[in-house]
Amino acid sequence: MEKIFNQMRLKKFEDKNEWHKISSMSQDYNLFSSPTFFQGLTCPYDLFVIYDDKKPLLSTVVFKKTSLKKKYFLQDFNYNQGIYFLITNKKKQRETLSFLLDQITKKYNQLRFSLNYNIQDIRAFQWHKYPKNEFNFNIMYSSLISISKKKCIDD
């Protein structure tokens, strides 16, 4: 695994629009990750992309806890944001996520992710620095309702 990590690098983005150009390529991308949405946020965050050589593998937004707010959920509406895979290979996704956790936990004492519903495998979080258990989990499920066949809002 270490050999794989040596090929990857984590790059911080200051420009939301540059980060957006990369992140919007992900199938997990959504409205809550747009520069327009970020303009309305009051909570601090950092934007990152992981590259393998010049190929982007994953983009992420890391919400930071402030001293003014005791809990993350008291901050802005920031759900279904966090990790955007730019690759489809599941093994490479797990390796990239492990690399992210390795790097990001060196930079932050506390952080929050609200994962997109497409991310169903959280083993990288569960096994990160096992048996130390660095992460606390608050698993909450959301659902999608297809409205494509509805004729009116009351259906």
Side-chain angles (χ1 to χ4, degrees), residues 132-144:
K132 197 173 168 185
N133 270 347
E134 276 197 324
F135 295 102
N136 293 323
F137 300 96
N138 182 16
I139 299 174
M140 299 164 55
Y141 297 95
S142 60
S143 60
L144 297 176

Side-chain angles (χ1 to χ4, degrees), residues 62-79:
V62 176
F63 290 98
K64 302 183 290 185
K65 189 173 173 184
T66 66
S67 58
L68 299 176
K69 304 284 186 184
K70 298 286 185 216
K71 298 187 179 188
Y72 287 104
F73 62 82
L74 296 176
Q75 294 184 23
D76 293 316
F77 180 84
N78 44 19
Y79 295 96

Side-chain angles (χ1 to χ4, degrees), residues 94-135:
R94 284 191 303 274
E95 292 166 353
T96 306
L97 184 53
S98 292
F99 175 77
L100 171 68
L101 297 177
D102 182 64
Q103 297 298 303
I104 217 79
T105 55
K106 293 175 186 174
K107 298 179 182 299
Y108 302 96
N109 290 332
Q110 294 184 349
L111 50 94
R112 175 191 180 275
F113 289 112
S114 175
L115 302 178
N116 186 290
Y117 60 88
N118 286 331
I119 298 176
Q120 298 174 359
D121 187 353
I122 62 169
R123 284 179 289 180
F125 292 94
Q126 294 169 317
W127 289 97
H128 182 69
K129 294 189 179 177
Y130 183 83
K132 197 173 168 185
N133 270 347
E134 276 197 324
F135 295 102

Side-chain angles (χ1 to χ4, degrees), residues 3 30 58 91 115 126:
K3 182 179 179 190
N30 61 65
L58 175 149
K91 182 176 187 236
L115 302 178
Q126 294 169 317

